[in-house]
Amino acid sequence: MTKALEATHRTQGYRKTRDVACALAGVVSLALAAGAASTVAVPVNSDLGLVAVLPYPFWVGVLLLNIAFVVALRGDATGPARRLVMLWLVVVLVLVLFGTAAFVTDIPRGEVAFRHIGIADALSRTQGINPDIDAYFNWPGFFALLATALRATGLDPMAVALWAPVLNMGLWLAALGVLTGYLTRDPRRRWLVLWIFCLGNWQDQDYLSPQAFGFFLYLVVVALVIGPLAARTPKVRGIKPAELAAWWRGRSPEELRPMHRVSALAVTLLLVAVISASHQLTPFMVLIAITALTLSGRVWPSRLPLIIAVVVALWLAYPASAYLAGHPPLAGGGLEDVIVANVVDRTSGTAGHVLVVQLRIVLTLALWGLAAAGALRDWRRGRLDIRVVLLAVTPLLLFPAQAYGGEMLIRVSLFALPFIAMQASSVLLPADGGTRPTLLAAGGLAVICSLLAVLTVSGRFGNARFDVFTSGETAAVAAVQRLAPPGSAIISAAHPTPWRSEGYLEHRYRTIEDLCGPGLSTPTCGPLVYGYARHNPAGAVVLLTRSAEAGLVVQGASSASNLDKLEAWLSAQDGVVLVFSNADARAYRVTP
Amino acid sequence: MSSGVSGPTVALGIADVALSLVTLVGLQTPLQAAAAVAVLVLLPGQALTRLTQVDDVALSALLVLSLGLAALTAVSMTMFYLAVWSWQACVVTMGVVTVLACIARGRQEAAR
């Protein structure tokens, strides 16, 4: 009796020590990674992005964190480490992977976040929605939310944009945590899914954006559909119409309380309406996923896809009709065009940039490979969950429908990622005798997780040369906003420019890349840009920044010497005056 | 309570009214941000989630966030379309939504 008590005491002591050690390892990892990232100098001068300039303590932190997670996940015979410890390690991973850029600089990364702040600012200034302005004003839901939140809280929009990736990942993980609870009761598998979801998230769609908001609501809708709105299905007896009809009639609701189902349905419809008002692509993903789940017999309200289709169609037919009149939904579709826009055009540029793109592809394929192996393993054991497979595969149906500015493959991989992570976890944990990995398997898991982390940091921050801005560039943009008369055009070399966060409606914003098309040779491009600037009644300001030029060079759209020649030619023309200059930017005013 | 309305429902309604007034009056930045997030997202989300009678803690917490954000999006967007938007109007409207949800919940509780 005494021995048994001592053994229990020893086990509890070991658990406590292990949990404290794992939590402390998380603290050390965060300190190492944040400290190392904060020493990185901006601008980042490598075509490989941040991965080439992050000092080794960052990687030590990443390695330590993955080891701590695997130790905590392995836990003991009763399960993984305490929930609080697991949660803390996930928080640290989010800060390390998705807050890295915020530790490097206090300027938000990427151009689009600036633009989104500008749209919210424009909405709150005009206090109305004019759908003729551009596509954003046809799907204004997220921007209306952002405008209200920024004005009511008084928060600095740039600080919000800087930390948006961490905030969005928090929301996504919260939804995914609930969702996985309906798919598996195994706590190890649930924590591992969250971990892999973070490690596979190179897509960089978690910035301050409608798609990040839409993706959160999408995950909540899926959680409701496989939770309170789920159906039990009898075994399929055959595929004859009568047998299928009997199978369909034999379905029953998982949630037996009708009012709970009605509540869940009402919430789902509200979320679908908000998604439809906030983003172009996400409603279609919701429709496809819910339709597939319904056809599999796993959703109780069988008319839900029809209702969602009506909501989406109504939004397109009325509030978004101004945009759709000139932009048919399936324009730019077709497999060949989509492959060119999403794959061929993206695998060009300098050697470093091409390597980054290849690493993103490797990471995606590695996760899909693990998921396929997991699915095969589950199928052999007769426990393949058709819902997970459908949710992982259905995003592929979006791929041939639209090029989506060359981003469709990125969006497809993001929509699939939670369920790819779920299926991959099947092969990363033991299948027999519980899911506690052996020491050897745990070592392998730590190595795999660490490799995935390196690939994610490489892929996610691979464009740092042109999407991490300097204070000189933001100062130049502020000066241009001040110097450019109302109604004038502001012309930047290319899209990686931290502009449009103010005065969104006061100027015409163009890039030299858009005006000239590919090539940017001075004899053809120079007169085009100069002519456009001079013919604008209020004149123009041409802004040439380091990041825009780096973007063109790194992605293979032009060369540094080409851009130098273009600038020299432009600055020698009549009515062109240098009005601002610093180490990272020059601005020329062009009088009409 | 003798009326059958639970304490949390009453507390939620009173907290919402008080915090809405505080937010409208204005506070220093970090406090204003906390108060505004509570009034615009968390309290409406909580009040609406309580109407759904979901008993799973994790799903409830998720619904507080998603319903709060979705309701604020719907309210803000509608105000923009009607050209009557101001952040103060949004605070008042979300406050009304919360109080109405509390009243509806109170009626549910009283009917039991």
Side-chain angles (χ1 to χ4, degrees):
Chain A
M1 184 69 184
T2 312
K3 279 184 181 174
L5 281 173
E6 279 175 2
T8 309
H9 192 70
R10 271 204 306 276
T11 308
Q12 284 175 346
Y14 163 73
R15 276 184 205 151
K16 196 172 177 183
T17 310
R18 179 204 61 204
D19 287 4
V20 169
C22 288
L24 278 177
V27 174
V28 173
S29 303
L30 182 59
L32 282 170
S38 65
T39 64
V40 170
V42 173
V44 175
N45 287 319
S46 169
D47 293 357
L48 289 170
L50 271 187
V51 73
V53 294
L54 281 166
Y56 76 90
F58 178 86
W59 302 109
V60 173
V62 167
L63 183 66
L64 181 63
L65 182 58
N66 280 295
I67 292 171
F69 172 74
V70 172
V71 169
L73 185 76
R74 186 168 182 269
D76 52 40
T78 61
R82 263 174 258 188
R83 191 180 293 179
L84 207 59
V85 175
M86 301 304 291
L87 190 63
W88 164 242
L89 292 175
V90 172
V91 168
V92 173
L93 182 69
V94 169
L95 286 169
V96 168
L97 291 186
F98 303 94
T100 310
F103 297 129
V104 171
T105 171
D106 55 2
I107 299 170
R109 196 168 54 89
E111 172 188 322
V112 188
F114 288 85
R115 195 191 309 158
H116 290 168
I117 289 171
I119 295 162
D121 179 63
L123 274 180
S124 52
R125 284 177 194 278
T126 58
Q127 303 192 342
I129 294 171
N130 176 3
D132 294 324
I133 295 171
D134 60 30
Y136 293 115
F137 291 81
N138 289 254
W139 284 272
F142 169 75
F143 300 108
L145 169 72
L146 184 61
T148 305
L150 289 177
R151 287 294 171 105
T153 59
L155 290 171
D156 173 16
M158 291 301 156
V160 174
L162 184 68
W163 288 100
V166 172
L167 180 69
N168 281 324
M169 276 305 291
L171 289 174
W172 295 358
L173 286 168
L176 186 56
V178 174
L179 200 161
T180 51
Y182 291 115
L183 296 171
T184 176
R185 288 283 156 205
D186 180 356
R188 279 200 187 89
R189 199 168 171 206
R190 291 174 67 183
W191 288 116
L192 185 58
V193 170
L194 299 186
W195 201 259
I196 297 173
F197 177 72
C198 292
L199 294 180
N201 205 318
W202 62 266
Q203 291 86 353
D204 206 12
Q205 296 299 311
D206 40 49
Y207 58 92
L208 191 66
S209 63
Q211 64 265 35
F213 178 56
F215 186 61
F216 166 61
L217 297 183
Y218 166 73
L219 291 175
V220 178
V221 167
V222 173
L224 287 167
V225 165
I226 63 171
L229 296 175
R232 292 175 202 273
T233 50
K235 202 163 182 160
V236 184
R237 302 283 175 200
I239 54 167
K240 289 179 186 166
E243 290 164 334
L244 287 175
W247 166 77
W248 185 260
R249 281 194 302 272
R251 296 177 313 127
S252 60
E254 288 263 10
E255 171 60 69
L256 297 175
R257 295 164 293 185
M259 280 316 292
H260 282 60
R261 293 201 301 271
V262 170
S263 301
L265 185 61
V267 173
T268 303
L269 293 179
L270 171 65
L271 298 186
V272 167
V274 171
I275 291 171
S276 299
S278 299
H279 193 232
Q280 296 102 315
L281 190 63
T282 313
F284 291 98
M285 189 59 243
V286 173
L287 180 60
I288 292 170
I290 303 302
T291 304
L293 286 173
T294 305
L295 291 176
S296 75
R298 307 305 291 267
V299 179
W300 178 243
S302 55
R303 291 184 183 86
L304 186 56
L306 187 65
I307 300 170
I308 293 173
V310 169
V311 172
V312 175
L314 283 175
W315 189 268
L316 294 177
Y318 293 103
S321 59
Y323 181 78
L324 286 181
H327 305 82
L330 295 178
L335 198 56
E336 197 177 326
D337 290 348
V338 171
I339 288 173
V340 168
N342 283 268
V343 183
V344 179
D345 289 354
R346 285 190 166 259
T347 47
S348 58
T350 61
H353 182 66
V354 170
L355 179 61
V356 168
V357 175
Q358 288 169 342
L359 289 176
R360 290 171 182 156
I361 295 170
V362 166
L363 174 56
T364 307
L365 291 179
L367 283 175
W368 279 76
L370 285 171
L376 187 66
R377 192 182 190 187
D378 284 349
W379 177 66
R380 279 185 176 162
R381 290 169 198 280
R383 60 176 199 196
L384 183 66
D385 190 334
I386 190 68
R387 297 170 299 177
V388 179
V389 176
L390 287 172
L391 290 165
V393 171
T394 45
L396 290 171
L397 295 173
L398 287 173
F399 183 58
Q402 252 268 3
Y404 210 64
E407 286 202 1
M408 188 57 97
L409 206 51
I410 294 173
R411 306 300 172 93
V412 165
S413 64
L414 178 64
F415 279 120
L417 183 60
F419 311 102
I420 290 294
M422 185 80 204
Q423 205 55 76
S425 70
S426 291
V427 81
L428 293 172
L429 290 173
D432 299 315
T435 53
R436 188 183 189 214
T438 60
L439 271 177
L440 189 65
L445 184 58
V447 170
I448 289 173
C449 289
S450 300
L451 284 175
L452 290 176
V454 174
L455 287 172
T456 293
V457 174
S458 307
R460 184 178 169 76
F461 301 113
N463 296 342
R465 184 163 185 180
F466 57 85
D467 72 6
V468 172
F469 303 116
T470 64
S471 54
E473 288 169 309
T474 52
V477 170
V480 167
Q481 294 281 7
R482 204 173 53 246
L483 293 166
S488 62
I490 298 178
I491 305 169
S492 173
H495 276 294
T497 303
W499 59 351
R500 304 178 81 172
S501 60
E502 291 172 19
Y504 188 86
L505 303 176
E506 289 164 22
H507 303 284
R508 299 167 75 181
Y509 295 86
R510 296 286 184 276
T511 67
I512 293 176
E513 191 181 20
D514 293 342
L515 289 171
C516 299
L520 304 187
S521 69
T522 302
T524 53
C525 187
L528 272 174
V529 175
Y530 182 57
Y532 178 83
R534 290 217 78 164
H535 285 103
N536 195 51
V541 176
V542 178
L543 173 65
L544 301 173
T545 61
R546 177 209 59 82
S547 55
E549 290 169 19
L552 289 170
V553 173
V554 169
Q555 294 178 98
S558 188
S559 65
S561 62
N562 248 1
L563 293 167
D564 288 344
K565 281 181 201 162
L566 184 62
E567 183 178 357
W569 182 89
L570 199 62
S571 61
Q573 303 308 304
D574 285 341
V576 179
V577 183
L578 181 70
V579 289
F580 182 89
S581 173
N582 66 23
D584 294 322
R586 278 97 44 219
Y588 297 89
R589 178 183 284 160
V590 183
T591 49
Chain B
M1 294 179 85
S2 58
S3 62
V5 180
S6 72
T9 303
V10 175
L12 190 60
I14 291 172
D16 180 70
V17 173
L19 270 177
S20 296
L21 290 174
V22 166
T23 306
L24 288 171
V25 170
L27 296 164
Q28 294 293 320
T29 303
L31 291 175
Q32 174 73 8
V37 168
V39 165
L40 292 173
V41 179
L42 299 179
L43 296 180
Q46 173 69 8
L48 293 169
T49 301
R50 283 165 59 82
L51 280 180
T52 66
Q53 299 174 18
V54 169
D55 41 19
D56 179 85
V57 177
L59 182 60
S60 294
L62 183 63
L63 287 183
V64 168
L65 285 173
S66 53
L67 271 176
L69 288 168
L72 179 58
T73 305
V75 165
S76 303
M77 192 177 61
T78 306
M79 286 190 167
F80 275 117
Y81 272 116
L82 299 174
V84 293
W85 179 89
S86 72
W87 70 264
Q88 292 91 341
C90 287
V91 168
V92 172
T93 309
M94 292 306 287
V96 170
V97 166
T98 307
V99 169
L100 289 177
C102 287
I103 291 170
R105 169 74 184 186
R107 288 172 64 117
Q108 283 178 357
E109 289 166 352
R112 277 182 206 155

